[in-house]
Amino acid sequence: MNKKITFSVALCSACVFAQTDEVTSYDDAFFDEPATVADEPAAVGEKPSKPSDVTVLDGLSVEDESEAEATPVDTKTKAESVKVLDTKELQGSSATIAEATNRSSGVKVRQSGGLGGESKINIRGMEGKNVKVLVDGVPVDNGNGSLSINDIPIDKVDRIEVYKSYVPERFATDGMGGVINVVTKNLFESSITGSYSFGSFNTHKASLDAKYVWVADSAKQRTVETGISAYYNYSDNDYEFTTPYMDTTVTREHDRYYSYSISPFVNLNNFWFDRISLGASFGGMNKEIQSTAHRVEDAFAEAWGYGVSLGLEKKDLFVKGLSAGLSLNFNYAKDQVVDTSHVYYYGWDKTNFKESKGVSGEISMGSATFIERENYTLTMPWNVDYAFNENHSLTWSGLYRYESQDPVDKLAAKGQLLNNAGFPGYSHSVVTGISLENNFWDKRIQNVAGIKAYYYSIKADDVDGKLKRLTDDDATNKDIGYSENIRVKIIESLALKGGYQHSLRFPTREEIFGDGVYVQCAPNLKPEKSDNFTAGAELDLDKIPLLLKMHLEFNWFYLLMEDRIYWNNYASVPRPYYNSVGTITSGFEIDAAIDVNEYVALSFNLTKQDAESREADMSFGIAKGLTVPNTPTFYMNFGAEFHIGDLFFRDDFFKLYWFANYTDEYYYGWKVSAKQDRTIPSSFSQDLGVEYSIMANKLSWSFEVKNFTDELVYDKYGESKPGRTFATKIKFSL
């Protein structure tokens, strides 16, 4: 079967304030005293948190209906290390993309704060910059590992593809930990769908998708599709939370968030090309900044942006079996971080504070911020696929990306001594890959082999007011990655598979050039590299006693990472990022899905993983064989569902479901002793929900209670997650 060509572009911008979690390496700390925002221990390999730590999402706008859907991935026939999460059953619920992804084995999503908070996706022990998030096959993050993917309504998502310790060559991106590919829905005919949900902490979410199809020439099957896609999110996020540093519980009184996006499109089908896609988008966000250590009342971040796109698709180009797709996308984004308060609160009450005549900042005293950034991004993804026959195909994919960055420190412009905005400049990058898929013996044996080439060139411009100027103003690098995956069906119900990939992650702009104040330039910084090995087995059974059908899966993984990028945050003078100690990660996953009968379904998965340092690095006091910090080592997910159709009316559907997650205790710092007490506590949270739909799911209603036992759960060490919450949702389709 020929692969369907697709490309999409995220066209609006949003941003989220990252308090301590810009992850280059794993979080670490060697401190025993409670932390404040001013002196909270930074992770090893990270620079201290400061108000300019903002993640700009160059493209978090959902599907532009101007783009076709990506090729569905059938895990029963694919040799790749991938888990496909079908979200169709979740679209009536208030679940987010992060929550749906977190239910997969081998995946742990750490959410900072409520709606609008950043999501750190950990796949088999790797997270941050090493896990890439794509929308319809195109990267949408800006390379720093932080992404608020929950802005995308689950109603707009067809499925979520989770690639574990494997980045397919057809995805033109770097990364070693894996890929989360969010595949959006396409309305195939004239229709309108929408939803509205309301939940705890005054949370509101609304989405709307509309399409109209004109038939221009029925004989030639020429049609014109026009439509619009939009969403709006809002939450006060005023839930109570605590941290291990506090002996009390406080309310997040300064964490309001809202975001919006609107995307019109026009598609021309069978005019010169099989498909011509034209799209545009505009969107923005605003987020109050919340500290986890003391009161903040004024600081905020905001962003807005727009974009346009053109896509072309053609099947049987020149010869039968040759298909091609090309897209050209332009995005503009502007964001601000404003922390210009005259008052700094030492605690959560208003009695202990310091007031200054000038601006001093309230996130970190004496570090006022008024930074504005402008980004221009041009991307050109392509895909060429040739099917020799139904069993053998060759795919060539690639992505060219140009990005310019112009940060401005408005306080420095008013006479401040240091410019904290970073260096302006631009970058070019090209990632391209070729993959060959072969099926033999009536598709009982499948082999997928690939090779990928990486190139980037980054330039930075020196500016006045920097403590340490650039030692070099440009950096280029190139490298090669490759992979091999095979799947063998032993009998009809049993299959074995295995895979290997040599992958890499290029340094980011900040890692190479620093910020001119805290971090020095490191133009010779090498990419992080990893050799990832996987093996597994799948068993499908039906017509067995007492059960309708059952799917069992076991996967083993072994990851060897080298040239890991660190930064010495213990030095009193500016230092560069540098390549240092690597890690060894090994573990296994077990998945089970059981249909007991036509009414009851059960699911379960388990993940056990251990990540250790490969060698010693005495610069940080890291010995060989130490357990990597802040990485869960054991967790499980449970699910049970009761459903029945035609309960009260014809074509109605009732569903009652339960989800639970258990995460074992794990270490906040490097594990040097079993007696150390700086641990992240174990947790067991449970969710309950009910859903009812009528008219063949054209109208549905749901009600959910999350963490209904009100357990204290730490998603990351600095703060607890919300306790018991509720949400209700109405969805319609016309």
Side-chain angles (χ1 to χ4, degrees), residues 205-252:
K205 299 179 182 180
S207 68
L208 178 69
D209 289 273
K211 176 192 259 186
Y212 188 80
V213 181
W214 282 276
V215 178
D217 189 335
S218 58
K220 296 183 178 180
Q221 296 183 327
R222 289 180 174 174
T223 60
V224 179
E225 303 172 351
T226 62
I228 194 169
S229 177
Y231 69 77
Y232 175 79
N233 301 309
Y234 177 91
S235 181
D236 289 335
N237 285 326
D238 54 348
Y239 65 88
E240 292 184 341
F241 81 104
T242 184
T243 77
Y245 310 126
M246 303 187 305
D247 58 0
T248 185
T249 299
V250 297
T251 301
R252 302 175 74 98

Side-chain angles (χ1 to χ4, degrees), residues 54-160:
V54 174
T55 298
V56 180
L57 309 184
D58 319 337
L60 191 55
S61 105
V62 212
E63 96 259 47
D64 189 3
E65 284 280 4
S66 64
E67 307 299 338
E69 288 189 16
T71 305
V73 175
D74 184 356
T75 56
K76 302 295 190 302
T77 60
K78 282 292 181 181
E80 299 170 325
S81 179
V82 58
K83 182 72 173 180
V84 179
L85 309 176
D86 189 344
T87 63
K88 293 182 179 64
E89 294 188 0
L90 295 174
Q91 289 170 5
S93 72
S94 60
T96 64
I97 292 178
E99 290 169 345
T101 305
N102 197 51
R103 294 168 185 166
S104 175
S105 63
V107 179
K108 197 67 179 173
V109 181
R110 295 192 303 150
Q111 184 79 17
S112 175
L115 183 66
E118 63 173 349
S119 297
K120 289 289 185 181
I121 303 173
N122 185 302
I123 298 180
R124 291 178 174 173
M126 290 190 186
E127 72 173 16
K129 302 180 181 74
N130 278 312
V131 175
K132 299 301 179 180
V133 178
L134 316 178
V135 173
D136 293 334
V138 178
V140 296
D141 66 346
N142 66 344
N144 71 357
S146 302
L147 191 65
S148 183
I149 56 176
N150 292 330
D151 278 5
I152 304 177
I154 198 74
D155 300 332
K156 297 179 180 292
V157 178
D158 179 72
R159 65 187 182 275
I160 303 170

Side-chain angles (χ1 to χ4, degrees), residues 431-645:
V431 181
T432 182
I434 297 176
S435 59
L436 176 65
E437 179 180 320
N438 301 104
N439 293 277
F440 305 98
W441 195 21
D442 195 25
K443 297 186 178 181
R444 288 181 176 273
I445 298 178
Q446 182 186 61
N447 192 81
V448 180
I451 186 170
K452 186 182 292 187
Y454 309 84
Y455 170 82
Y456 75 83
S457 176
I458 308 178
K459 181 175 177 61
D461 298 324
D462 212 341
V463 293
D464 294 332
K466 293 296 180 183
L467 183 64
K468 295 289 183 181
R469 296 178 178 273
L470 289 169
T471 58
D472 200 345
D473 62 357
D474 66 86
T476 61
N477 208 331
K478 56 185 177 181
D479 218 314
I480 296 291
Y482 38 87
S483 68
E484 163 67 23
N485 294 275
I486 188 169
R487 183 178 188 271
V488 180
K489 185 183 291 187
I490 305 299
I491 56 177
E492 189 61 32
S493 58
L494 175 64
L496 304 178
K497 63 180 182 179
Y500 163 75
Q501 184 171 55
H502 175 75
S503 55
L504 57 94
R505 196 273 295 178
F506 277 137
T508 63
R509 165 184 292 273
E510 182 184 38
E511 290 169 342
I512 293 175
F513 296 121
D515 61 4
V517 179
Y518 300 99
V519 185
Q520 283 184 322
C521 183
N524 297 319
L525 197 63
K526 295 185 294 184
E528 295 178 327
K529 298 181 181 181
S530 185
D531 292 291
N532 300 338
F533 301 85
T534 60
E538 298 174 354
L539 179 65
D540 286 283
L541 300 173
D542 57 7
K543 300 178 181 178
I544 54 180
L546 304 178
L547 297 177
L548 189 62
K549 62 180 179 179
M550 177 171 58
H551 173 78
L552 299 176
E553 188 172 342
F554 173 85
N555 289 290
W556 167 87
F557 53 91
Y558 185 73
L559 319 176
L560 294 172
M561 182 179 176
E562 62 181 73
D563 291 329
R564 194 168 164 187
I565 297 175
Y566 281 82
W567 184 71
N568 189 349
N569 54 300
Y570 303 112
S572 58
V573 296
R575 296 289 181 92
Y577 282 90
Y578 73 103
N579 297 104
S580 182
V581 58
T583 58
I584 300 176
T585 303
S586 62
F588 64 88
E589 304 160 357
I590 298 174
D591 284 84
I594 302 171
D595 286 345
V596 179
N597 50 46
E598 60 179 313
Y599 304 110
V600 178
L602 305 175
S603 63
F604 166 79
N605 63 63
L606 174 153
T607 302
K608 178 69 173 69
Q609 60 190 24
D610 294 292
E612 298 179 345
S613 53
R614 291 181 63 177
E615 61 269 349
D617 185 344
M618 301 317 296
S619 299
F620 295 110
I622 301 173
K624 181 179 179 180
L626 291 187
T627 300
V628 172
N630 211 16
T631 301
T633 58
F634 179 78
Y635 50 93
M636 297 183 291
N637 292 288
F638 310 86
E641 178 182 309
F642 170 79
H643 48 256
I644 186 171

Side-chain angles (χ1 to χ4, degrees), residues 285-355:
M285 59 76 65
N286 182 280
K287 177 175 175 57
E288 294 177 339
I289 295 173
Q290 171 70 55
S291 169
T292 60
H294 67 273
R295 176 178 294 276
V296 173
E297 292 194 337
D298 296 322
F300 68 93
E302 64 179 359
W304 65 273
Y306 61 84
V308 292
S309 68
L310 168 66
L312 305 173
E313 300 174 24
K314 183 67 175 177
K315 296 180 180 178
D316 296 331
L317 180 66
F318 306 126
V319 296
K320 185 177 181 180
L322 180 64
S323 302
L326 176 69
S327 181
L328 185 64
N329 315 301
F330 170 78
N331 299 294
Y332 168 80
K334 187 174 184 178
D335 72 276
Q336 288 185 336
V337 183
V338 182
D339 180 19
T340 56
S341 174
H342 295 257
V343 178
Y344 178 85
Y345 293 96
Y346 291 98
W348 288 101
D349 59 65
K350 295 186 177 182
T351 60
N352 190 10
F353 65 90
K354 179 179 180 179
E355 187 170 4

Side-chain angles (χ1 to χ4, degrees), residues 413-428:
K414 295 180 180 180
Q416 182 173 287
L417 295 178
L418 295 178
N419 186 325
N420 290 302
F423 296 103
Y426 60 87
S427 63
H428 299 271

